[in-house]
Amino acid sequence: MKRKIEITPNLETLFGKRDENLILIEDALGVSIDLRSDGVEIEGGAEPVERVAQIFADFEHLRRTGYVFQNGDLGSMLRVVLNDPETSLRQLAETGKMRSQGSKRVVQPKSPHQKQYLDLIEKQDMVFGIGPAGTGKTYLAVAMAVAALLSKQVNRIILARPAVEAGERLGFLPGTLQEKVDPYLRPLYDALYDLMEAERVDKYLEKNIIEIAPIAFMRGRTLNDAFIILDEAQNTTGEQMKMFVTRMGFNSKAVITGDITQIDLPNARRSGLLEAIDVLGGVEGIGFAYFDETDVVRHHLVQRIVRAYNDHKERVSKQLQLSLDPAAEPAGSRSKPVKQ
């Protein structure tokens, strides 16, 4: 099937640098896109061609309504759209705009797993986001919390984190208690200041509309009308995790984020996040979103670094199993029979 689409002004933005977006669409849908003097010709199966045409139409609609794509957002959004036939470019952009009303940034999922994560946060009262560094777990959770606060869905935001390798042994550090814990909570502050004006963040912090504290400060509290985030949850103990997940009050939402490959707890103590995955996996109303290195949204090298560490961990694990099993022999170590 062939279909021709008339060229419109500024459509080059859709093509991307060195036509990278067109190449992405062609590879994902198995179509051929040719630029003609008076339009674009799409050739391929009927359904893929229609999907490409819809992407072009959605882009044109967004352009006409003043939507601006920034920082490579379009390429990331196209990956999400191409991975899910039920999602359109227009729907993705408009949903992101609605989520970001009053915020400095329009927050968009940059991968299918990120989209699943955001959808779960909207639908479920408690969500676990689990995956390696740089996959946007914390930033997106804070973005959704800010959106909920600014749209008056909740009255406050509570951001918690284990401090000092989850043991919270802060006595040896100089300064007041707040000065001791602030460095460990800095990523949460960074996300807030990136999403809201500094004056507004400072005002909300002063009035305790936004509260950032070590997880130990959550004990004994019931949190109503709040969006609660626990970051670095892999460094909680089982007792701390149970305490945290039972703090939820009426009209509250909780997001727990962590990276199970970076557990800093002593070996003798099991991570509260690992235990929660086992215990809460089948509980209705709780969602689990898992990320991998393909979701890393930092520098492109970070994706490769995460993958390299995962590969190394697997190699070390296999070597350890071989060393502990005396019956196991390395491949090729068996002696071959001598020919007579």
Side-chain angles (χ1 to χ4, degrees), residues 128-172:
F128 286 79
I130 302 159
T135 49
K137 306 180 301 294
T138 302
Y139 188 87
L140 291 175
V142 174
M144 293 296 279
V146 167
L149 179 66
L150 296 180
S151 62
K152 303 191 185 303
Q153 296 174 42
V154 297
N155 294 332
R156 55 183 172 157
I157 298 173
I158 313 288
L159 306 173
R161 217 180 191 217
V164 192
E165 297 184 355
E168 300 177 15
R169 297 181 292 274
L170 304 172
F172 68 94

